[in-house]
């Protein structure tokens, strides 16, 4: 089947599972009251890895010598996968939204290893440590269906690796649109002056 299996719940260690469930419950209650909690998206921050690979908006994959580049329309997120290079030690990577990704081809599967994701960058609010490692196997399962099989390893927060799959359908006629997040904490007042919203963070 070209439909991947549903994603399992993250196999978090008990103390992290409790924190995660508490946050999910708080978000649900806030939504029900019509006062949703601010997220990184509210602050115009990109989703980062691995959430950007969920492709809420369309994405483009470009292949060039020594590199595969993934561009997600949402927040104009750009991720570079460097081919056939050794992975850096985690402590040598400046933590970021996309981390440091290296990949290699195994037949027609692109195998990718990513480290160095900021701890504030979370997928589905799941906590992780600076030791998190994201492994991917990206391959076509049918003519127009691409899968990204993701396995997240984190010896600090997870009991065992957390695996799930994102699936994509090729859309040859689509052209990526500009996506700039302008509605940030800064805004223009009636006089056109730039102001910053100051309030509880």
């Amino acid at each position: 089947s070209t439909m991947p299996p549903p994603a399992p719940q993250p196999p978090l260690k008990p103390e992290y599972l409790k924190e995660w469930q508490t946050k999910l419950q708080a978000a649900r209650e806030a939504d029900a009251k019509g006062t949703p909690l601010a997220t990184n998206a509210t602050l115009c921050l990109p989703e980062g890895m691995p959430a950007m690979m969920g492709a809420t908006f369309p994405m483009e994959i470009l292949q060039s010598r020594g590199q595969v580049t993934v561009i997600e329309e949402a927040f104009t997120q750009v991720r570079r996968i460097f081919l056939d290079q050794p992975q850096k030690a985690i402590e040598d990577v400046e933590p970021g939204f996309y981390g440091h990704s290296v990949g290699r081809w195994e037949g027609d599967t692109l195998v990718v290893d990513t480290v160095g994701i900021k701890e504030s960058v979370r997928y589905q609010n799941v906590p992780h440590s600076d030791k998190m490692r994201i492994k991917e196997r990206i391959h076509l399962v049918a003519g127009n269906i691409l899968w990204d099989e993701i396995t997240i390893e984190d010896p600090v927060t997870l009991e065992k690796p957390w695996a799930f799959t994102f699936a994509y359908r090729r859309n040859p006629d689509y052209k990526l649109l500009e996506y700039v997040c302008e509605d940030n904490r800064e805004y223009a007042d009636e006089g056109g002056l730039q102001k910053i919203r100051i309030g509880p963070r």
Side-chain angles (χ1 to χ4, degrees), residues 8-153:
Q9 180 169 303
L12 288 160
K13 293 181 180 178
E15 63 273 30
Y16 294 102
L17 183 62
K18 189 167 167 20
E19 175 200 332
W20 181 63
Q21 288 169 332
T22 303
K23 280 196 164 150
L24 285 187
Q25 185 60 31
R28 271 199 292 269
E29 287 170 8
D31 287 347
K33 278 192 232 145
T35 54
L37 301 176
T39 63
N40 278 2
T42 315
L43 304 175
C44 284
L45 293 172
E47 299 161 305
M49 278 293 292
M52 73 166 281
M53 297 303 292
T56 320
F57 286 65
M59 69 182 196
E60 181 175 48
I61 299 174
L62 306 175
Q63 298 185 62
S64 52
R65 184 189 302 240
Q67 182 173 315
V68 172
T69 307
V70 182
I71 303 172
E72 222 260 345
E73 186 175 283
F75 302 97
T76 314
Q77 300 181 84
V78 180
R79 174 182 180 213
R80 295 171 181 85
I81 300 165
F82 302 109
L83 300 180
D84 304 317
Q85 293 185 15
Q87 179 56 285
K88 293 181 175 180
I90 291 180
E91 49 276 12
D92 294 340
V93 177
E94 179 67 34
F97 284 85
Y98 312 108
H100 186 262
S101 295
V102 297
R104 65 179 189 281
W105 287 101
E106 286 184 4
D108 57 4
T109 298
L110 180 61
V111 179
V112 186
D113 180 64
T114 301
V115 295
I117 307 294
K118 283 176 189 267
E119 291 179 54
S120 60
V121 174
R122 296 183 171 192
Y123 174 59
Q124 295 187 350
N125 279 318
V126 175
H128 69 87
S129 74
D130 58 357
K131 303 279 183 287
M132 177 173 73
R133 183 176 290 273
I134 303 170
K135 296 184 171 173
E136 294 167 282
R137 297 183 63 83
I138 303 171
H139 57 103
L140 285 167
V141 293
N144 283 318
I145 306 293
L146 184 74
W147 276 18
D148 184 2
E149 298 179 61
I150 295 180
T151 302
I152 297 180
E153 298 172 359

